[in-house]
């Protein structure tokens, strides 16, 4: 059984998830979240190369969900 996943839907889900995370942790609740986590608001974050890892991590849930949804749909069609 071959599982086909819609790559465009995954890319859209990744971009929307990344954007919502940015909005959630920056303008909406960024200062409150930082205060609750104990971060100093005057401290600048260190530069790091984790953007690729973050994008990969944001990509995984839509890929898995898409594959599971297709597998379930195929299982339902096979029963009928």
């Amino acid at each position: 059984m071959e599982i086909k996943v819609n790559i465009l839907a995954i890319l859209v889900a990744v971009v929307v998830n990344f954007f919502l995370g940015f909005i959630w942790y920056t303008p909406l609740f960024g200062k409150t979240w930082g205060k609750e986590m104990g971060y100093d608001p005057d401290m600048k974050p260190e530069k790091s190369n984790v953007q690729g890892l973050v994008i990969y991590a944001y990509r995984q849930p839509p890929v898995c969900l898409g594959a599971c949804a297709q597998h379930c749909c195929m299982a339902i069609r096979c029963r009928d």
Side-chain angles (χ1 to χ4, degrees):
M1 168 179 31
E2 183 179 333
I3 296 178
K4 297 178 184 176
V5 179
N6 187 346
I7 300 298
L8 180 61
I10 290 172
L11 291 175
V12 168
V14 168
V15 169
V16 168
N17 192 6
F18 204 75
F19 180 72
L20 288 176
F22 167 76
I23 295 297
W24 186 265
Y25 287 111
T26 307
L28 288 179
F29 302 111
K31 291 181 182 177
T32 305
W33 176 78
K35 186 177 89 174
E36 291 296 321
M37 294 298 292
Y39 294 130
D40 181 16
D42 298 327
M43 186 181 79
K44 295 287 183 191
E46 296 178 13
K47 290 283 185 182
S48 66
N49 294 327
V50 297
Q51 286 86 8
L53 181 62
V54 168
I55 290 172
Y56 177 77
Y58 273 111
R59 182 184 67 89
Q60 285 309 103
V63 169
C64 294
L65 185 61
C68 289
Q70 184 176 13
H71 180 71
C72 290
C73 289
M74 291 174 75
I76 290 170
R77 283 189 215 135
C78 290
R79 279 192 322 190
D80 294 339

